[in-house]
Amino acid sequence: MVDKKSLSERDICTKYITPAITAAGWNLHSQIREEVSFTKGRIIVRGKLHTRGEQKRADYILYYKSNIPLAVIEAKTNSHGVGSGMQQALNYAETLGVPFVFSSNGDAFLLHDRTGMADKTEHELSLDAFPSPTELWQRYCQWKGLETPEARHMVEMPYYDDGTGRSPRYYQAIAINNTVEAIAKGQQRILLVMATGTGKTYTAFQIIWRLWKSGTKKRILFLADRNILVDQTKNNDFKPLGAAMTKISKRQIDKSYEIYLSLYQAVTGSEEEQNIYKQFSPDFFDLIVIDECHRGSAAEDSAWREILAYFSSATHVGLTATPKETKDVSSIYYFGEPVYTYTLKQGIEDGFLAPYKVVRIDIDRDVQGWRPSKGQTDKNGQLVEDRVYNQIDMDRTLVLEKRTELVAKKITEFLVATDPYAKTIVFCDDIDHAERMRQALVNLNPERVKENRKYIMRITGDELEGKAELDNFINPEERYPVIATTSKLMTTGVDAQTCKLIVLDQHIKSMTEFKQIIGRGTRINEDFDKYWFTIMDFKKATELFADKDFDGEPVMIYVPKDGESPVPPDDDFESSLDINSNPVPPNTGDTAGQDEVDFGVDNPGTKRIKYVLGDVTVYVVAERVQYYGPEGKLITESLKDYTRSTVRKDYSSLDDFLRRWSKTERKAAILQELEEHGLLLEALADEVGKGFDAFDLICHVAFDQPPLTRRERADQVKKRNYFAKYGEQARQVLETLLEKYADTGIENIEDIKILTLDPFKNMGTASELVSAFGGKPAYLAALYELEENLYA
C-alpha cells in the first residue's frame, strides 16, 4: 500500500489527477497540457549584468480547442489541503483569462468558477466528478454570450500553425480570442491596446486568419501608415495568406483578391479622382484592420476616417500601443473601450519586453537659461532678440553649436565605454537638428567613420540616401548603420530589435509620442545579447515617467556630474529618496504651456526664426541614473543592500539558510533559485572579492558572517586528512575535486561530467574513476561528504 502522504507533487499528478481528468473525457494529447510556462521571467538588471526572474508555470491548462483555454489546475502534495493551491491558480487564471480554476491534492478537487454564473463560487468535487470538456465549453459559451452555432463555429476556428511549434503567446491568444468573440457577438468597432514589441502584427494576422478561414469575413483590408510596415507585414507575418493577398500600389485596383494591404496614403488623396478606394463598392470589405490606429483613425478629420466612413458597414479593428485621448482626438470614442490591453509594465514584468535604465543629463544653458548681450548677432548676422532662452528654445529658436557637440560627446563616451557598435537612435527636434547632430558625431568618431562611412547616418523623411538605410539599421545581421539621427521618421513602427541606446534630444509633447519612442528599444533579442537598453535624456523627457498614465518605469535613472562618465555605475546610485524612503518626484521646472505649440517639426514648409551661435560655451551640470525594480519602486540601494533584502525574503535567518544548504544535495539548485529572485553573484563577487565561495558571499552580505575564501576552505579540509580512508585512485579524485573547488567554486564539482575533463581524464575514464569508489551511489555519497567537510 503506497503512503499517499509520501508522494511527490509529480506523483500525485500522475497517479490521481491526470487519470481523473482523462476519465472525464479530456484528450491527453490535444486538450491537456502539463507544466506550462506562459511567461519568460522578468529580466533583472544590476550594473552590466542581468538575470531572469521566475517564470509563471501552471501545473495543468485544459483546452477545449488548441486556441481556447478553459481551465487551470494547481496540484499540491497530499500533505496539503485540497484548496491550498487555489490562490496561486487564481493568479494564473486571471493572467490567462481562464474562467474555471481547480486545486487538488490527489484526494478531491476544489473548483472556483470565475464566470459569476454558478450558484456557489467555490465547491469541492470528488475525483470521479471532474466536469467533461463539453460541460465546461457550454458554460464558457454561456459566460461569453456565444449563443448561435455560427458564433461558436467562428470562435472554434484554430489559429494558423506553421508546423514549427510557434503558437501565440498567452496575451496574444487572449487578444485574438477576445477580438474574435466580440465579432462573433456582433460588435462592429473593436480596439486592441498592446505595447510596442509585443507582436501586434502577428496578432492581427491570426485574427484575420481565423475570421477568413471560418468564412466569417471574406474580404479584408489591412491599413498601415508606413510603406515599410506594409512590406514587412506582407513578407513576414502575413506570408501564409499567399496568393489571396495583394498590396495596393500605383493606385491600381484589382478586385479579384480577398486580402488587401495598403498604405492609407495610397488609397486617399485631395482630388476626387485620387480617392481610388471609391472604385470599391462601400460594402466590398467585411473587415478593416487599422494598424497604429492612434496616428489617424482617431482624428475626426483624418484621411483614415474618410476611408472608414466610406466602408462603414465593415467591422473595424484598431491596433495601437498608445490609444490617443486628447480633447480633440479619441480612439476610445471611435472604437469603444479596448477588448484587451497588454501594457508595457506587464510586458516587462512577464519578461517579454526589455527593461531599461535612464541616464539624465542636464546642460547649464538648458537649466539656467542664456541671454544675449546687447546688440549680439548670430553667425548669419541676425540680431538675436533680447530675452532669456532656455530648454524649450534649444534647437528650435536657438541653436548653440557647442551644445550639439556636447550631446554628441556624451553619446560617443557612452558607446566607447559600453559597445561602439550598439545600435543607437538619436531623436532630434527637426531635420536640421538631425543633420547637425550627424556632423558632430562624425567629427567625434573619425576612426569608425573611416572603417565605414555609414557608421552614422541621418535617417529622416526628406532624404532618400538615409531612408534607404532604414532596413539595414533595423536588420540585426547588418552592422551598419550603427547610429541613426532622426526626428519623426523612426518614432513608430520601426522594429529595431537590437537597439540598445535611445537618445532623447527632442521636445516630446505627449505621453503617446513618448511611449512610441520608448517602444523602439523594448524588444528583446537574445541571439544578439539584447536584454535591456538605456535611454539618454537631455531634455527632461523622462519626467513623463512621473505621469500617472505611464505604465512601465525604468530600472535605473542616473545623473552624472560634470566630468563623470555617462555610463551608469554598477550600484550605489545617488539616492532620490525622502526621509521616509519614498521616491522624490523629479523637479519639473516651469514648463507651463510648452505642450500647447505645434512647431511643425519635420515639415520643411514650416519657417521659424532660428538663431545659430557657435561661441557660447556649455557644460553638464548634473547626471544621474536610477533603476526601477519590481512594482515600479525606485531602487537606489547598493548591490549589497539589494542582495541582503533578496536573500532575507527567502531565508528569515542564518539558521534557516544553513539548514537548507546542508540538507540540499545540489547546492547549485539553491543558487539558481536565488538568481531567479534577482541575486547576481558575479556582480556581488566583483564588489566583495573574487576568491569567495557563493556560500560565503551570501552569509557575509545577508547575515554579516566573516567570509572565508575557497582556498581557505579547501586548506581546512586538507588538514582534517579524512581522505586517508579511501583507496589511492579515489583519494586522488577527491584531492583534485578539492583543487577544482578552490579554483572555480561549488557548482562545477557537483556535475559528474567533470570527470570527463582535464585533469581527471588523465587518471582514467569516468566510469573507472566512479568504480574506484564502488559505483555511482558511493561516488555521490563521497562528494556529499566532501561538501559537508567544506562547509563544516
Side-chain angles (χ1 to χ4, degrees):
M1 183 74 180
V2 177
D3 173 16
K4 210 171 182 179
K5 292 268 183 279
S6 70
L7 294 177
S8 70
E9 193 178 287
R10 271 288 94 202
D11 290 338
I12 292 290
C13 291
T14 312
K15 291 182 174 16
Y16 299 98
I17 298 178
T18 305
I21 308 169
T22 50
W26 294 84
N27 184 304
L28 190 60
H29 304 294
S30 62
Q31 293 182 308
I32 302 171
R33 284 182 63 198
E34 292 191 58
E35 298 193 291
V36 189
S37 293
F38 55 91
T39 69
K40 289 274 277 186
R42 186 172 69 91
I43 293 171
I44 299 156
V45 183
R46 303 301 294 167
K48 296 177 188 66
L49 300 171
H50 70 273
T51 183
R52 277 208 186 258
E54 286 173 287
Q55 298 182 330
K56 283 191 175 178
R57 190 161 92 188
D59 288 331
Y60 292 85
I61 301 180
L62 304 186
Y63 295 80
Y64 181 64
K65 291 278 168 77
S66 63
N67 55 316
I68 307 169
L70 291 182
V72 170
I73 307 173
E74 189 56 36
K76 292 290 175 205
T77 58
N78 196 250
S79 53
H80 290 80
V82 173
S84 64
M86 183 52 78
Q87 298 204 108
Q88 193 179 345
L90 281 168
N91 175 1
Y92 295 164
E94 231 163 61
T95 305
L96 294 165
V98 167
F100 307 109
V101 193
F102 296 86
S103 169
S104 178
N105 64 352
D107 287 343
F109 290 101
L110 182 68
L111 162 62
H112 181 111
D113 186 324
R114 295 179 64 234
T115 64
M117 298 167 82
D119 299 337
K120 255 176 124 177
T121 305
E122 281 192 4
H123 67 279
E124 205 167 293
L125 300 167
S126 62
L127 285 182
D128 57 4
F130 196 84
S132 70
T134 312
E135 188 188 330
L136 288 191
W137 175 236
Q138 294 295 352
R139 286 159 71 179
Y140 179 91
C141 290
Q142 204 185 338
W143 174 51
K144 289 285 193 174
L146 304 169
E147 309 295 344
T148 65
E150 294 78 33
R152 293 183 183 196
H153 168 65
M154 194 192 309
V155 170
E156 286 179 29
M157 183 54 60
Y159 54 74
Y160 172 76
D161 182 356
D162 63 2
T164 64
R166 181 190 182 187
S167 60
R169 290 170 173 171
Y170 86 84
Y171 62 85
Q172 292 169 337
I174 299 173
I176 297 160
N177 288 346
N178 286 8
T179 304
V180 172
E181 285 165 4
I183 292 169
K185 287 188 291 191
Q187 195 172 317
Q188 283 289 80
R189 302 288 178 264
I190 292 157
L191 181 63
L192 268 183
V193 178
M194 292 170 71
T196 302
T198 55
K200 284 197 295 295
T201 319
Y202 176 69
T203 303
F205 159 71
Q206 290 289 8
I207 291 167
I208 289 169
W209 178 268
R210 282 175 60 184
L211 294 169
W212 180 55
K213 282 291 177 187
S214 66
T216 312
K217 303 293 180 190
K218 294 179 175 63
R219 290 199 182 119
I220 297 159
L221 174 63
F222 178 84
L223 282 172
D225 70 329
R226 295 273 166 88
N227 214 8
I228 187 169
L229 293 184
V230 177
D231 293 337
Q232 266 177 13
T233 301
K234 184 168 185 278
N235 300 331
N236 300 337
D237 287 326
F238 280 37
K239 202 174 184 177
L241 296 166
M245 164 178 64
T246 185
K247 176 186 171 186
I248 298 176
S249 57
K250 301 194 177 69
R251 305 198 165 274
Q252 297 299 311
I253 294 294
D254 177 345
K255 295 179 189 169
S256 63
Y257 291 92
E258 292 169 75
I259 293 151
Y260 295 79
L261 276 64
S262 176
L263 203 61
Y264 79 87
Q265 296 91 325
V267 291
T268 59
S270 49
E271 299 300 317
E272 188 62 30
E273 66 271 15
Q274 284 183 293
N275 285 337
I276 60 155
Y277 64 85
K278 293 195 173 164
Q279 292 176 35
F280 294 111
S281 61
D283 59 0
F284 186 84
F285 292 110
D286 309 310
L287 173 69
I288 300 180
V289 178
I290 306 101
D291 194 22
E292 305 288 1
C293 70
H294 64 278
R295 287 182 66 82
S297 55
E300 287 291 344
D301 56 353
S302 77
W304 300 52
R305 281 299 270 271
E306 234 176 275
I307 303 172
L308 298 186
Y310 183 75
F311 297 117
S312 61
S313 63
T315 304
H316 298 169
V317 177
L319 302 168
T320 180
T322 47
K324 225 179 208 182
E325 295 307 312
T326 68
K327 61 181 188 297
D328 306 314
V329 172
S330 170
S331 311
I332 288 172
Y333 174 74
Y334 183 79
F335 289 102
E337 289 293 333
V339 293
Y340 184 62
T341 298
Y342 188 70
T343 63
L344 180 64
K345 186 176 191 171
Q346 190 63 50
I348 292 173
E349 197 51 46
D350 287 344
F352 294 119
L353 294 181
Y356 50 93
K357 300 175 185 182
V358 174
V359 178
R360 281 196 190 148
I361 301 179
D362 292 338
I363 294 171
D364 63 334
R365 302 297 183 184
D366 295 20
V367 179
Q368 296 154 8
W370 174 82
R371 187 177 174 185
S373 54
K374 194 168 189 279
Q376 185 166 356
T377 56
D378 76 348
K379 280 180 86 168
N380 303 318
Q382 293 183 96
L383 180 69
V384 183
E385 184 193 342
D386 183 19
R387 64 178 179 84
V388 175
Y389 295 82
N390 59 23
Q391 193 159 46
I392 297 161
D393 300 294
M394 295 302 161
D395 301 301
R396 287 177 166 188
T397 45
L398 183 71
V399 173
L400 300 179
E401 289 180 339
K402 284 192 162 41
R403 186 191 176 286
T404 309
E405 286 162 19
L406 179 62
V407 171
K409 179 169 169 264
K410 284 289 171 191
I411 296 167
T412 303
E413 281 174 12
F414 184 91
L415 291 173
V416 167
T418 53
D419 171 10
Y421 295 98
K423 298 270 177 163
T424 299
I425 307 177
V426 187
F427 286 98
C428 302
D429 253 315
D430 55 24
I431 288 169
D432 163 59
H433 184 195
E435 174 53 27
R436 283 186 292 104
M437 188 60 73
R438 184 196 67 79
Q439 291 172 26
L441 285 162
V442 165
N443 288 331
L444 285 166
N445 293 276
E447 290 303 310
R448 304 262 177 244
V449 174
K450 201 167 132 192
E451 264 170 42
N452 191 313
R453 71 174 179 84
K454 292 180 179 176
Y455 180 74
I456 300 152
M457 294 291 287
R458 168 166 67 91
I459 301 179
T460 48
D462 69 317
E463 203 236 16
L464 294 174
E465 170 86 6
K467 246 165 91 174
E469 288 300 323
L470 186 54
D471 281 356
N472 290 330
F473 180 80
I474 62 182
N475 181 352
E477 302 286 346
E478 291 289 342
R479 173 170 264 194
Y480 301 103
V482 173
I483 305 173
T485 69
T486 188
S487 55
K488 290 290 186 214
L489 183 67
M490 296 170 77
T491 51
T492 67
V494 175
D495 189 0
Q497 298 172 18
T498 52
C499 176
K500 291 184 181 178
L501 177 63
I502 287 177
V503 180
L504 303 176
D505 198 23
Q506 182 183 93
H507 295 81
I508 294 170
K509 300 196 290 291
S510 73
M511 181 60 78
T512 300
E513 191 178 11
F514 180 61
K515 276 189 176 177
Q516 288 291 343
I517 287 176
I518 298 306
R520 297 315 102 216
T522 51
R523 283 171 175 80
I524 292 167
N525 189 317
E526 298 189 3
D527 296 341
F528 289 86
D529 199 33
K530 157 74 188 296
Y531 292 92
W532 50 279
F533 67 106
T534 305
I535 297 168
M536 190 178 271
D537 179 15
F538 290 93
K539 292 208 173 148
K540 290 188 185 290
T542 50
E543 285 175 357
L544 289 168
F545 289 137
D547 188 303
K548 66 176 174 27
D549 296 331
F550 191 73
D551 63 23
E553 293 93 345
V555 288
M556 185 188 203
I557 295 178
Y558 167 56
V559 178
K561 296 181 181 69
D562 192 25
E564 284 184 351
S565 162
V567 181
D570 284 356
D571 47 63
D572 277 331
F573 322 120
E574 199 178 304
S575 176
S576 296
L577 303 181
D578 63 20
I579 49 172
N580 302 317
S581 298
N582 293 320
V584 177
N587 169 27
T588 50
D590 180 21
T591 51
Q594 82 179 71
D595 289 356
E596 303 303 311
V597 193
D598 182 5
F599 285 90
V601 175
D602 239 16
N603 180 352
T606 309
K607 279 284 174 217
R608 69 168 100 99
I609 294 176
K610 259 189 195 176
Y611 304 113
V612 182
L613 290 118
D615 53 357
V616 178
T617 56
V618 294
Y619 63 89
V620 169
V621 286
E623 258 176 86
R624 77 175 174 279
V625 170
Q626 286 174 339
Y627 274 100
Y628 273 77
E631 297 96 47
K633 295 242 170 53
L634 199 63
I635 295 175
T636 52
E637 61 199 342
S638 74
L639 192 56
K640 288 180 182 173
D641 292 340
Y642 182 73
T643 302
R644 178 189 284 255
S645 63
T646 303
V647 173
R648 288 188 167 200
K649 265 184 205 146
D650 289 349
Y651 304 99
S652 54
S653 68
L654 176 64
D655 285 347
D656 238 14
F657 178 68
L658 294 177
R659 243 195 322 274
R660 173 84 197 281
W661 187 266
S662 60
K663 258 172 57 186
T664 303
E665 283 188 15
R666 283 190 68 251
K667 315 301 182 210
I670 297 177
L671 301 180
Q672 190 183 343
E673 221 170 77
L674 285 167
E675 280 210 347
E676 283 179 349
H677 294 176
L679 183 72
L680 289 168
L681 287 165
E682 209 181 311
L684 200 60
D686 285 343
E687 192 166 305
V688 179
K690 282 288 192 198
F692 296 112
D693 190 278
F695 171 82
D696 284 281
L697 286 173
I698 292 164
C699 292
H700 172 60
V701 173
F703 305 110
D704 304 313
Q705 296 302 302
L708 292 176
T709 63
R710 290 193 299 270
R711 176 56 61 197
E712 285 167 335
R713 286 194 177 277
D715 288 346
Q716 282 183 355
V717 172
K718 279 183 192 163
K719 279 181 200 152
R720 291 191 199 112
N721 196 24
Y722 86 90
F723 293 163
K725 63 184 182 186
Y726 291 98
E728 191 184 340
Q729 193 174 25
R731 194 163 63 237
Q732 202 186 350
V733 170
L734 288 171
E735 281 165 0
T736 312
L737 282 171
L738 196 56
E739 274 308 301
K740 276 281 179 204
Y741 161 81
D743 288 341
T744 63
I746 194 73
E747 295 106 309
N748 290 332
I749 71 164
E750 287 191 328
D751 191 339
I752 199 162
K753 287 199 193 94
I754 197 169
L755 299 180
T756 61
L757 307 173
D758 281 336
F760 295 96
K761 64 180 188 194
N762 303 328
M763 302 177 196
T765 65
S767 56
E768 282 168 7
L769 299 182
V770 168
S771 34
F773 290 86
K776 190 175 174 182
Y779 167 75
L780 293 174
L783 180 65
Y784 190 53
E785 189 186 12
L786 172 63
E787 289 186 349
E788 278 183 325
N789 273 277
L790 274 171
Y791 299 112

